């Protein structure tokens, strides 16, 4: 290999020489991201031994610093300056001296934000993806058409643009009849939803859509939740994180993980019955670019939100806006000890270990890509009868993909997701009880709050609301001011067949609230 020779001189001359060399492609696998040069590096020690381990991509994009630039120059160039010395006869003699430019010079070289001609890096992916024109990005390395860098976790043979009928039949047979056959799906919707999530990272760029939050839960431990998250996690790179029970900590963990090169982020094994009700999470899944203050710095950073976000646990609930932003996959083994099931007749016994082997990950990915390309070869038909707020393009594309392959039930468990909406359940019960007690009579927040006080007549304490009065996030009854704010925030929002209305008292000096009830 021929080493590039770079002659440097004074400080300004060295800056010009090095910057020109970098723009001209001196360093291989060097790109520009957010105005900074980044260099692709192999990551050592990334061995995954269990389905619930982190599974990083084999390369990372490291921002060039003065220290890393010095190391790269030493590896890929011969940087020298001309000096003179006296020969044996005492005459001046020029000679070359290899040198490492000073740190401040290297810092000045990297300080600029404009790098004309340097290819832009828009992301690192761990598996092939469908480009926006419907072609498959499957060649490892940098793809000029998309600005993506494919750092494949497993080496795939080329997938045909037009799979044969036998290849498609084999892919369906493997994925549905072996890989996913023995999970205790609660319904057909749960299996269909999971296949959609498994294919989502491949189709994200093609569908140009936001992706909903994925909730994988079960009625019992050891039902297979972690194995399901390991499907996309092992294929696309996964980061396992503990659940943050405050929005501030959740925001910090999101910002930190978006700086890592993984395709799937999993909050694993949440406490049983956890209610996922976070304004931060609701914001995350509905924004294409995540903006937050950089950890340890005073400046804001903006990062493309191109991850699949998942959570697992037993009997999880959702609340607030998360109910309409969540796709649920529910497992129900309907037995006391699911881990004791006899696996001798399973399509793939001991799947939790099987999925960690690269050769097996290749098998899953190959068959999944065959199904994707068979769908696109037929024009990538979508279904138009499904909507999901901001995620409608995703739902229609993935629904079309599943329908094309005869996988029924997609999103038909949406009402069950609303059924585990803890926030919805609490407000429905509160409004129903309120209307039963007071009909449509306008009341101030103070009057309503007094009505919540237990009745202590005849020496016996009676809760006329039967525990259904709305509480604060800490589980306490609100004071009148807090109650007024809660009711104002819910005015006009239907909870089942009840809705809160707000107005002014007859004298116009106080806010009043009442409940309307409409039969379907």
């Amino acid at each position: 290999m021929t080493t590039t020779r770079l002659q440097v001189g004074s400080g300004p001359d060295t800056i010009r020489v090095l910057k020109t060399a970098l723009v001209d492609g001196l360093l291989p696998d060097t790109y520009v991201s957010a105005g900074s040069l980044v260099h692709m590096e192999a990551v050592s020690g990334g061995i995954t031994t269990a389905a619930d381990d982190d599974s990083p991509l084999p390369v990372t994009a490291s921002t060039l610093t003065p220290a890393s630039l010095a190391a790269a120059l030493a590896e890929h160039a011969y940087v020298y300056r001309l000096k003179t010395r006296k020969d044996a006869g005492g005459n001046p003699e020029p000679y070359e001296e290899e040198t490492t430019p000073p740190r401040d010079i290297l810092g000045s070289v990297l300080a600029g934000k404009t790098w004309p001609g340097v290819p832009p890096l828009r992301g690192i992916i761990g598996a092939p993806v469908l480009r926006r024109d419907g072609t498959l990005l499957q060649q490892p390395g940098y793809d000029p058409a998309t600005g993506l860098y494919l750092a494949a976790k497993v080496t795939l043979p080329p997938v045909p643009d037009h799979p044969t009928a036998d290849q498609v039949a084999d892919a369906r047979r493997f994925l549905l009849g072996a890989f996913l056959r023995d999970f205790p799906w609660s319904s057909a919707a749960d299996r269909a939803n999971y296949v959609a999530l498994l294919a989502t990272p491949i189709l994200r760029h093609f569908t140009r859509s936001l992706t909903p939050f994925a909730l994988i839960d079960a009625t019992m431990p050891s039902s297979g939740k972690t194995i399901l998250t390991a499907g996309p996690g092992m294929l696309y790179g996964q980061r396992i994180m503990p659940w943050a029970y405050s929005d501030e900590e959740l925001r910090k963990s999101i910002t930190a993980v978006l700086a890592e090169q993984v395709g799937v982020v999993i909050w694993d094994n949440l406490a049983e019955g956890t209610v996922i009700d976070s304004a931060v999470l609701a914001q995350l899944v509905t924004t294409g670019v995540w903006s937050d203050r950089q950890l340890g710095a005073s400046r804001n950073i903006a990062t493309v939100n191109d991850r699949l976000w998942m959570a697992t646990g037993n009997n999880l609930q959702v609340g607030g806006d998360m109910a309409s932003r969540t796709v649920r996959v529910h497992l129900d083994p309907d037995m006391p000890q699911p881990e004791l099931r006899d696996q001798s007749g399973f399509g793939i016994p001991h799947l939790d270990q099987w999925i960690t082997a690269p050769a097996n990950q290749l098998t899953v990915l190959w068959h999944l890509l065959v199904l994707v390309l068979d769908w696109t070869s037929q024009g990538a038909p979508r279904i138009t009868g499904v909507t999901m707020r901001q995620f409608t393009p995703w739902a229609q594309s993935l629904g079309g993909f599943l329908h094309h392959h005869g996988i029924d039930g997609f999103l038909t468990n949406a009402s069950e997701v609303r059924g585990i909406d803890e926030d919805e359940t609490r407000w429905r019960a509160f409004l129903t009880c309120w209307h039963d007690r007071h009909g449509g009579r306008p009341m101030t927040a103070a009057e309503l709050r007094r009505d919540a006080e237990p009745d202590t007549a005849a020496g016996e304490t009676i809760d006329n609301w039967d525990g259904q009065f709305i509480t604060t996030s800490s589980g306490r009854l609100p004071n009148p001011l807090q109650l007024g704010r809660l009711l104002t925030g819910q005015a006009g929002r239907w909870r089942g067949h009840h809705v809160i209305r707000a107005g002014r008292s007859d004298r116009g000096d106080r806010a009043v609230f009442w409940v309307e009830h409409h039969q379907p």
Side-chain angles (χ1 to χ4, degrees):
M1 182 179 68
T2 302
T3 300
T4 300
R5 293 169 55 84
L6 296 176
Q7 180 181 340
V8 297
S10 64
D13 178 62
T14 301
I15 293 173
R16 287 190 292 267
V17 168
L18 293 183
K19 185 140 189 173
T20 299
L22 291 174
V23 169
D24 289 344
L26 168 67
L27 302 181
D29 276 343
T30 299
Y31 309 97
V32 62
S33 176
S36 298
L37 286 185
V38 295
H39 185 62
M40 307 304 296
E41 294 183 296
V43 178
S44 301
I47 299 176
T48 302
T49 59
D52 57 356
D53 283 347
D54 287 339
S55 180
L57 297 184
V59 304
T60 186
S62 301
T63 301
L64 279 178
T65 64
S68 60
L69 178 56
L73 289 173
E75 181 179 357
H76 298 287
Y78 175 69
V79 182
Y80 68 95
R81 64 176 67 239
L82 283 179
K83 303 188 75 172
T84 58
R85 61 189 173 192
K86 292 183 178 180
D87 61 16
N91 299 313
E93 175 186 52
Y95 71 98
E96 297 177 0
E97 179 183 76
E98 189 173 14
T99 184
T100 297
R103 183 183 183 87
D104 60 334
I105 296 295
L106 296 176
S108 297
V109 171
L110 298 172
K113 296 294 183 183
T114 303
W115 298 93
V118 178
L121 179 68
R122 296 191 169 88
I124 303 177
I125 53 177
V129 299
L130 211 59
R131 300 185 183 95
R132 291 185 174 181
D133 62 2
T135 59
L136 186 67
L137 191 174
Q138 56 180 320
Q139 180 65 37
Y142 182 75
D143 180 55
T146 60
L148 298 174
Y149 190 101
L150 175 55
K153 289 182 62 62
V154 293
T155 303
L156 279 174
V159 183
D161 292 334
H162 299 275
T164 66
D166 286 344
Q167 288 173 327
V168 174
D170 286 344
R172 291 173 180 166
R173 194 159 39 241
F174 170 77
L175 286 172
L176 303 177
F179 182 56
L180 300 178
R181 189 188 76 185
D182 299 301
F183 286 94
W185 310 105
S186 181
S187 69
D190 299 291
R191 187 185 73 158
N193 291 354
Y194 179 74
V195 176
L197 294 171
L198 191 62
T200 288
I202 296 173
L203 297 175
R204 180 191 294 275
H205 297 278
F206 177 70
T207 61
R208 309 184 191 189
S209 61
L210 297 169
T211 301
F213 186 71
L215 179 67
I216 298 182
D217 76 331
T219 55
M220 292 288 294
S222 303
S223 298
K225 305 178 298 295
T226 299
I227 304 175
L228 286 181
T229 57
M234 293 290 173
L235 299 183
Y236 313 119
Q238 71 181 14
R239 177 76 161 85
I240 308 294
M241 299 201 303
W243 180 249
Y245 287 90
S246 74
D247 273 357
E248 180 61 26
E249 290 304 312
L250 186 61
R251 176 178 290 278
K252 290 179 181 178
S253 65
I254 290 169
T255 300
V257 79
L258 280 170
E260 302 178 18
Q261 276 83 40
V262 291
V264 182
V265 180
I266 303 164
W267 286 285
D268 196 27
N269 282 323
L270 276 66
E272 187 162 8
T274 294
V275 179
I276 299 176
D277 178 9
S278 165
V280 169
L281 199 56
Q283 175 192 359
L284 171 70
V285 296
T286 53
T287 183
V289 177
W290 175 260
S291 181
D292 192 24
R293 189 175 68 181
Q294 185 177 12
L295 299 180
S298 58
R299 68 185 185 93
N300 274 19
I301 57 173
T303 309
V304 174
N305 178 15
D306 55 359
R307 314 297 164 89
L308 178 60
W309 304 90
M310 313 179 81
T312 73
N314 295 319
N315 298 312
L316 300 179
Q317 302 179 71
V318 292
D321 290 331
M322 288 305 297
S324 61
R325 304 177 185 193
T326 298
V327 171
R328 188 190 192 196
V329 176
H330 187 56
L331 302 178
D332 184 5
D334 194 25
M335 62 184 299
Q337 293 177 296
E339 68 274 15
L340 298 183
R341 288 190 299 168
D342 180 11
Q343 298 194 24
S344 60
F346 279 18
I348 302 176
H350 307 293
L351 190 56
D352 57 336
Q353 291 301 312
W354 183 90
I355 192 62
T356 63
N360 297 331
Q361 296 166 20
L362 183 152
T363 301
V364 175
L365 186 57
W366 166 266
H367 287 107
L368 186 60
L369 288 169
V370 165
L371 295 186
V372 168
L373 291 182
D374 177 63
W375 173 62
T376 58
S377 69
Q378 303 300 316
R382 304 185 178 199
I383 57 172
T384 57
V386 61
T387 59
M388 195 182 178
R389 296 184 62 179
Q390 302 98 320
F391 313 108
T392 295
W394 173 86
Q396 293 182 345
S397 295
L398 271 299
F401 167 72
L402 296 171
H403 179 74
H404 176 75
H405 291 293
I407 304 174
D408 299 324
F410 181 52
L411 295 182
T412 55
N413 63 350
S415 61
E416 295 177 16
V417 176
R418 290 191 291 273
I420 61 169
D421 183 347
E422 189 260 359
D423 187 64
E424 177 76 12
T425 301
R426 288 192 313 125
W427 278 98
R428 280 194 186 193
F430 172 59
L431 297 192
T432 299
C433 192
W434 180 356
H435 190 267
D436 289 345
R437 287 183 57 74
H438 301 289
R441 180 170 69 90
M443 305 176 69
T444 66
E447 290 172 333
L448 187 62
R449 177 61 182 83
R450 283 195 297 271
D451 190 62
E453 291 297 328
D455 188 348
T456 57
E460 183 180 359
T461 300
I462 300 174
D463 180 4
N464 294 314
W465 286 77
D466 197 23
Q468 302 303 322
F469 201 91
I470 201 68
T471 58
T472 65
S473 58
S474 63
R476 298 177 179 274
L477 290 175
N479 61 41
L481 180 60
Q482 291 172 323
L483 180 59
R485 290 171 176 169
L486 285 172
L487 298 180
T488 300
Q490 293 290 320
R493 180 163 181 170
W494 286 89
R495 299 291 188 175
H497 305 306
H498 295 83
V499 62
I500 295 178
R501 300 300 186 191
R504 308 298 295 180
S505 66
D506 291 339
R507 294 189 301 178
D509 60 345
R510 291 182 297 175
V512 293
F513 307 91
W514 65 97
V515 175
E516 291 181 2
H517 175 247
H518 292 272
Q519 291 287 354

